[in-house]
Amino acid sequence: MQHYFIDKPHSADDYFEFKDGVLGLELCFRSCDSIFSKDKIDDGTRALLNAIAKNETLSGCGLDLGCGLGVIGIALIKHYGVTMQMVDINATAVSLTKQNLIKNNVQHSAVAFVSDGFNAVEGSFDFIVSNPPIKTGKTLLFSLMEGAKEHMKVGAPLILVIRKNLGMESLKKHLTSLFNNCEIIARDKGYYILKSVKLGN
Ligand SMILES: C[S@@+](CC[C@H](N)C(=O)[O-])C[C@H]1O[C@@H](n2cnc3c(N)ncnc32)[C@H](O)[C@@H]1O
């Protein structure tokens, strides 16, 4: 079975466009069959964005880790006026994110590039957000959390969405031991929004 995070050749027929709304924003996306979240904003991504808008004051430069089509980064740029770096292991996802930044008129507020986890990421961020890859397994997920901590400024939050039945408790435990804190800031139909803050170096 082909997973959405493995890139594959595409024909012109695989591409399409859709419109969807979140945080009171009307957004438009170019998409492709194999790229998450295909033809609508994912329910977990929507829960994450709603929780952030309700609970957090974000500013500065953030990282959208595993950006897919670019939904999270684009919505945060428009909502908060922040700048973003947006990365994904999948080159088609990154190409679509670049096109979607232009379609939504925020191309001057973000850079998007291919990165396997943090291997091409430099510097430290004011916040990191992600609807992280879960199906790749705990080892990768936990290593992404460690990479995140290395790339956060002191005081920066890491905010993630995960389904309760897809490993929320073990991720929360891992974040608590890594950051010495992890808070559930929202719950929405089985999706949990977790936040850890980097307290020191
Ligand atoms: C659950 S999807 C979220 C996509 C998008 N952020 C959204 O909310 O619609 C997770 C994304 O992580 C990407 N991914 C998987 N493994 C990765 C890795 N090692 N490094 C970076 N991105 C990865 C996948 O290609 C996928 O686009």
Side-chain angles (χ1 to χ4, degrees):
M1 179 191 151
Q2 185 106 35
H3 283 294
Y4 59 79
F5 48 84
I6 297 172
D7 213 358
K8 61 169 192 174
H10 299 287
S11 69
D13 290 347
D14 294 336
Y15 291 90
F16 56 92
E17 298 195 355
F18 71 91
K19 290 185 178 173
D20 204 345
V22 68
L23 306 183
L25 303 162
E26 282 302 315
L27 303 175
C28 43
F29 297 96
R30 183 163 157 77
S31 186
C32 174
D33 272 348
S34 62
I35 303 300
F36 193 99
S37 54
K38 198 172 169 182
D39 58 3
K40 64 179 181 61
I41 294 177
D42 173 64
D43 289 343
T45 300
R46 187 181 296 285
L48 173 68
L49 288 168
N50 286 335
I52 292 172
K54 192 171 171 197
N55 296 287
E56 304 296 323
T57 310
L58 300 182
S59 60
C61 182
L63 179 73
D64 177 353
L65 176 62
C67 59
L69 299 174
V71 175
I72 295 174
I74 290 169
L76 293 180
I77 291 168
K78 285 196 170 263
H79 187 76
Y80 288 103
V82 292
T83 59
M84 297 295 301
Q85 293 195 22
M86 303 167 70
V87 299
D88 203 289
I89 196 172
N90 185 308
T92 301
V94 171
S95 167
L96 288 166
T97 288
K98 287 180 180 169
Q99 294 172 59
N100 289 328
L101 286 163
I102 294 169
K103 284 181 86 60
N104 292 281
N105 294 313
V106 290
Q107 68 272 26
H108 301 302
S109 299
V111 289
F113 52 96
V114 173
S115 184
D116 178 358
F118 285 85
N119 74 354
V121 175
E122 290 176 4
S124 297
F125 296 90
D126 297 296
F127 58 93
I128 297 183
V129 286
S130 188
N131 180 352
I134 301 297
K135 292 179 182 164
T136 43
K138 258 187 208 179
T139 307
L140 173 75
L141 181 62
F142 289 0
S143 80
L144 291 176
M145 301 303 103
E146 274 133 39
K149 188 179 174 195
E150 284 169 23
H151 290 272
M152 289 158 70
K153 294 181 183 169
V154 173
L158 168 65
I159 311 173
L160 308 165
V161 60
I162 185 167
R163 284 187 90 120
K164 184 169 171 62
N165 61 357
L166 290 182
M168 188 279 291
E169 290 293 355
S170 75
L171 179 59
K172 184 167 182 288
K173 197 170 160 196
H174 185 73
L175 290 170
T176 303
S177 84
L178 191 60
F179 288 91
N180 281 322
N181 68 89
C182 181
E183 182 191 350
I184 296 169
I185 61 165
R187 297 178 174 84
D188 185 355
K189 292 183 221 129
Y191 292 99
Y192 278 57
I193 316 305
L194 304 181
K195 173 185 165 184
S196 290
V197 175
K198 180 163 168 169
L199 301 175
N201 282 311

